[in-house]
Structure formats: C-alpha cells, structure tokens
Amino acid sequence: MSAPDDGPPSRDGFARWIAGRASWPVLAAALLVYVLSAGRMLGVRRAGMDNAVVVRAARALLEGGSPYADKRFLYLPGAVFAALPQAPFGNATLSRAVPFATAALVLAGVVLAMRIFDVRADSRLAAALTAGLGLFLPFQSIVHLGNWTAASAVAFPAALLLALRGRWTAAGVTIGLAVALKPMLVPLLLLLVLARRWRALAWAVALPATISLAAALAMPRPGLLLTKTLPFLLHGQDDYAAPFDASWTAVLPRLGVPHHLAFVLAACAAAAVLAVARQRWRRGGDEALRLVECGSLLMLAAFLVSRPSFLHYALVIVPALVASVVVRDAAARSVWFWMALLPQLAGVAWPELGSARRHAFKDIVMFTGMAAVLAACAWRSRPRTAPTVTVSGAVYSLSSEPGPRDPSEMR
C-alpha cells in the first residue's frame, strides 16, 4: 500500500498534515462558504461597479467616443478592448455574473498558489484558505466591486510558478499581459532584475507597451490618458476614493501628519522594504519560498507608497503567502502575520472603524504588518559570514564540510 502524496518528505509533521487531502465534506463546506460569500453580493446595490466602468469605456469606444473622457476609467488602453466581449450584455446581467466571475478568478489564483508549494488543490490547506477567503473583507470587496485586480490575483502566482519551473520567459509574458490590463504587477519587474532574467524582463516591458500603443492608436483622443487620467490617478483620485486609500501617503495625513512628511515617511518605508526584498533574494533557501516572499515584499513596497492602495490589493499576495506555511522557515508561520490579517475578518466589529470611510485604518495595519513580518523574518535569517580558522596554512570554514586535502599539505 503506497503512502499518500502529502508533498516532499522534508516537510515537518504540521506541513504534511495540512498539505494532506481533505475529506469531501470539508471541501464541500469550504466551497459553500466561498460561493455564499460571493453570492451575497447579488443583493448589494451597484455590485460590479468597477467592472462597469471598464465596460462603459468599451461601449464609449464602440460609439466613437474616447474611453478616457470618463474620469473613472483608470486602466491602460488594452483594458478597453479586453472589455469589449462584455459590451453587448445588459447592466443587470453583468451585475449578476461579475461577482461569480471575479470569485472564480480569485479561486484560480488560490489553486496556482498551492501549486507553487506542491500542495494539492483538495488539501486541508486549500480548504482552509478557500473558506477563510469567504470571510476575508478584501475578498468581499473585490467581489462587490468586480475589480480587475482579480486578473493580477491569478497572474502573480502563475508568474511565480512558471519562474519556479525555470520558464522565466513565460513568466515575463504573464507579467506583461497582466500589466497590459492593469499595471498592478509592475513591481514584479524588479524580481526579474534581481534574478537577472533580461529576456523575461524585455517581454514584461515590451508586451504592455506594444499592446497599449496599438490600442491607443485605435481609439479617439488617446492623449487624455496623459493629460487627464494620469494626473487624476497620481493625485489619489478624488474625495470619493480618498477615504478608501490605505497607502501611507493617504492615511498618515488623516492622523495629523503633514502631507510632505507623510510622503517622505512612505518613501522611506518603501525603500526599506525594497532593500529587504533584495536581501531576501540574496539569502536564497527554498526557491518557492524565496520567489513568493521576495515578490510579496516588492508588491508591499508599492502598496505602502503608491496612491491609491485599496484593501482588495491584498488578494494578489495573500494566497501565495498562506500557501507558504508548509515551508518550515516561512514568514506565514509567524503569529504576527496572522495578527496583521485579523482586522480583516468579516463580522468582527472594531470600535470607531466600522464605517467604510474609516476602513483604511485597518487596511494600513494589514499592509504594514505583513511587510514588517516579512522584513523581520528576512532580516533574522540573513546569511552570516562563518568564522574561519587557519590550519597548516589553509583556510577552512567552521560551517563547511571538510574537502579533500592535497597530500602535500598534510606533511
């Protein structure tokens, strides 16, 4: 009788147990929680409103207008053409279908995140993560909005999985296609730089540039992207979106910090996280864990300083980080990692933070907390130079295995 496939034998007891196959009732219950969480958005007013903005831009293009005449359309030109298949459907139909389509994309990202660490899609960990996402406020937010960040939630683990398997060019193509829809994964370009995968970097840059240029030439007044949309986005959008922005540059001024000082603090924090990401890459170790933690640090550096930074951005990195718990040295095994996510548990009332316009105070705790935990773990386990001793004129490291000696050195 063969042993169950619970992953690599090097895993400890906890990892082997949680990566093992879950029973069908457990899997069914997890999927039920997930589907019900997505389905509850059907009765919510303006469900799928972020997706509706992109569809409205596609319809404007079909009518001969410029998609960028709508200040709410903030994506690159390629997104307009990607939304064209939705244009013929009515708003009522889309509002019912988009929440489930968004949930399906996030679930696909969960499966890919599991594959990075060679964990079964029907494992106990996958079931726990699926049910947990159903109670996770960022998931409920992205399903409610129908935000295209869901595409990045698939592309992030897909690119890392391809890189883990040595298919770096395919990883670069995946990043490039995701950026062409929404420039969420731009920080992952730095991962390609750290890995010195120049061909993959070229694909990741050339694809969105080519697609955006071709799409821009095919639409009226594409210059509005530079003259109207980009300034609107760089200023953190408007008063409607500002309360939901969880970046340091948006939240710190709400706590009384001057705007210029908030920007300096955010830039310093982002620079520190980038430095830690470089350190994490140089440390090495388990390759899957290195890719996930380094990639997540790069994304978190952007979330801290960029405007806007919304809570559903967490879905890009959280599934892969949670999947990394099967690795002994993973930051996700720290209790502080889970403490950073705790405020995002649905159904838990937090005094003075229950309203939607104050939710950003919990969101900044999540982003900053995850970055701090990842940084602390990377710093504590940084490589140290091993002490050396000199024996008969030869230098030996106390942490290395003794190599064969030249007979002449033993005289």
Side-chain angles (χ1 to χ4, degrees), residues 130-352:
T130 301
L133 285 177
L135 304 175
F136 196 43
L137 289 176
F139 171 75
Q140 296 183 1
S141 173
I142 199 172
V143 170
H144 174 213
L145 298 173
N147 192 278
W148 282 33
T149 297
S152 298
V154 178
F156 179 81
L160 298 186
L161 180 59
L162 289 168
L164 178 64
R165 295 178 174 177
R167 301 174 61 186
W168 283 93
T169 300
V173 170
T174 301
I175 295 171
L177 291 175
V179 170
L181 293 179
K182 183 176 183 177
M184 173 70 67
L185 297 187
V186 168
L188 279 191
L189 298 179
L190 294 177
L191 181 65
L192 303 179
V193 173
L194 290 173
R196 299 184 179 182
R197 300 291 177 168
W198 310 119
R199 179 179 298 179
L201 179 63
W203 277 102
V205 173
L207 265 179
T210 303
I211 293 173
S212 298
L213 180 60
L217 293 176
M219 65 176 59
R221 303 175 65 195
L224 289 177
L225 170 63
L226 301 178
T227 61
K228 181 179 179 180
T229 303
L230 192 58
F232 178 74
L233 184 61
L234 292 177
H235 284 86
Q237 302 186 36
D238 53 17
D239 292 339
Y240 173 80
F244 305 96
D245 188 349
S247 64
W248 281 30
T249 49
V251 175
L252 292 182
R254 296 175 65 182
L255 297 174
V257 179
H259 286 274
H260 295 297
L261 179 58
F263 178 79
V264 171
L265 292 175
C268 291
V273 174
L274 288 176
V276 171
R278 179 174 178 269
Q279 177 66 38
R280 178 63 187 90
W281 180 261
R282 296 179 65 183
R283 192 188 91 195
D286 183 278
E287 186 63 14
L289 184 63
R290 177 168 79 150
L291 285 166
V292 167
E293 291 189 346
C294 185
S296 298
L297 282 165
L298 294 173
M299 296 301 300
L300 285 166
F303 296 163
L304 294 180
V305 73
S306 65
R307 296 197 65 184
S309 183
F310 297 132
L311 81 160
H312 53 261
Y313 290 4
L315 289 175
V316 176
I317 61 174
V318 164
L321 286 172
V322 171
S324 72
V325 77
V326 297
V327 182
R328 188 188 302 271
D329 297 329
R333 288 205 173 188
S334 169
V335 66
W336 296 107
F337 173 82
W338 300 98
M339 291 294 289
L341 301 182
L342 182 61
Q344 302 297 335
L345 185 63
V348 178
W350 291 79
E352 304 298 329

Side-chain angles (χ1 to χ4, degrees), residues 389-396 405-406 408-411:
V389 294
T390 302
V391 180
S392 301
V395 177
Y396 298 90
R405 296 185 181 180
D406 190 315
S408 63
E409 295 179 354
M410 302 177 64
R411 295 173 185 172

